[in-house]
Amino acid sequence: MASSPPHPSYILVALLLVLSHLSAPSSADAPRMLSLLKTKPLVLKYRKGRLLKGNVTVNLLWYGRFSPAQRSVVADFFRSLSSPARVSLSVASWWSTTAAYAGGPANIILGNQLVDSRCSLGKVLKNQHIVSLSSELTRAKTDSDGVINFVLTSSDVSVEGFCMNRCGSHGWSATAPGGKGVRFAYAWVGNSVTQCPGQCAWPFHRPIYGPQIPPLLAPNGDVGIDGMVIGLATVLAGTVTNPFDKGYFQGPGDAPLEAVSACTGMFGKGAFPGYPGVVPVDKTTGASYNAIGSSGRKYLLPAMWDPKTSTCKTAV
């Protein structure tokens, strides 16, 4: 069973919103105006830098309180990325698109997991705190080009820029414990369920603006965690294909459109701003999904830019 396309009235609302912007154009509205024109293929330029290919270890630092069930949902997602695809709508099939980028496939391996439930650096974090926390997962004395350290923050932790201009981020640092100068890639994603679910847990929550299409039911019954999976998928793909700022992206280096962020809001066929597209619906729970993990767990994963076609490729 698949979700039905939106009622024509929702499409009309979306069109009216676009037209209202056209009636009073500004620099911020320019991208919306371009969407009405015949656009060129989406191209993410490769800057010829190092990508994360081959075996890539993902380490996790759980910052704040997460239940075992919540940690299991995320851990199963990472384990499923490089597991043999037993079904057509698999997490591994979604991830296989990254193999079309230079250097071939990236085999994701779930590594160490640390828990900081007491929030050792407090509950209001700056960017430098994220780097510091992620460095705790780095112990090697040489460049860790095959490692990504993730910091996952709980719903009661505030992070600089969270809910204002980002739901997650990634970067790299040469700062490590003891001043060893180890280069490593890091990423951060937060649980938005109590802070900004309309921004960072959509389409499992009504958006804060735009057409108010009814939200989809989260496949694992947890709006915050299922929203985090979308964020994790986004920054993981971005990290693997642009880990050290010389990979694949479009636009300025300090605000790039990457493998998944270039395809924001697309989950199934027929997607448009405010509507995620047509995706399967679980007959028992009514939850929406488009990928199945190795353990049978279901996920809703975002579209990814496909270098072969220069288009955003959805899992279904």
Side-chain angles (χ1 to χ4, degrees), residues 4-30:
S4 301
H7 189 276
S9 62
Y10 289 127
I11 298 177
L12 177 59
V13 170
L15 290 174
L16 289 174
L17 285 172
V18 171
L19 291 174
S20 67
H21 282 289
L22 291 177
S23 64
S26 67
S27 59
D29 295 325

Side-chain angles (χ1 to χ4, degrees), residues 24-85:
S26 67
S27 59
D29 295 325
R32 299 172 186 258
M33 295 173 67
L34 290 174
S35 67
L36 297 179
L37 304 176
K38 184 177 181 180
T39 58
K40 297 179 180 180
L42 175 64
V43 176
L44 304 188
K45 182 180 178 180
Y46 179 34
R47 270 68 177 181
K48 306 301 181 181
R50 181 187 291 270
L51 308 184
L52 297 184
K53 296 292 182 171
N55 290 336
V56 178
T57 299
V58 169
N59 299 315
L60 307 179
L61 174 62
W62 300 91
Y63 192 83
R65 294 187 179 278
F66 290 90
S67 70
Q70 290 176 323
R71 294 199 297 268
S72 177
V73 170
V74 171
D76 282 354
F77 165 67
F78 283 113
R79 292 190 185 101
S80 299
L81 289 164
S82 297
S83 298

Side-chain angles (χ1 to χ4, degrees), residues 201-228:
W202 184 87
F204 306 125
H205 191 281
R206 288 186 181 274
I208 59 173
Y209 54 84
Q212 296 296 300
I213 295 176
L216 305 181
L217 291 182
N220 293 288
D222 189 320
V223 169
I225 292 298
D226 281 303
M228 283 188 76

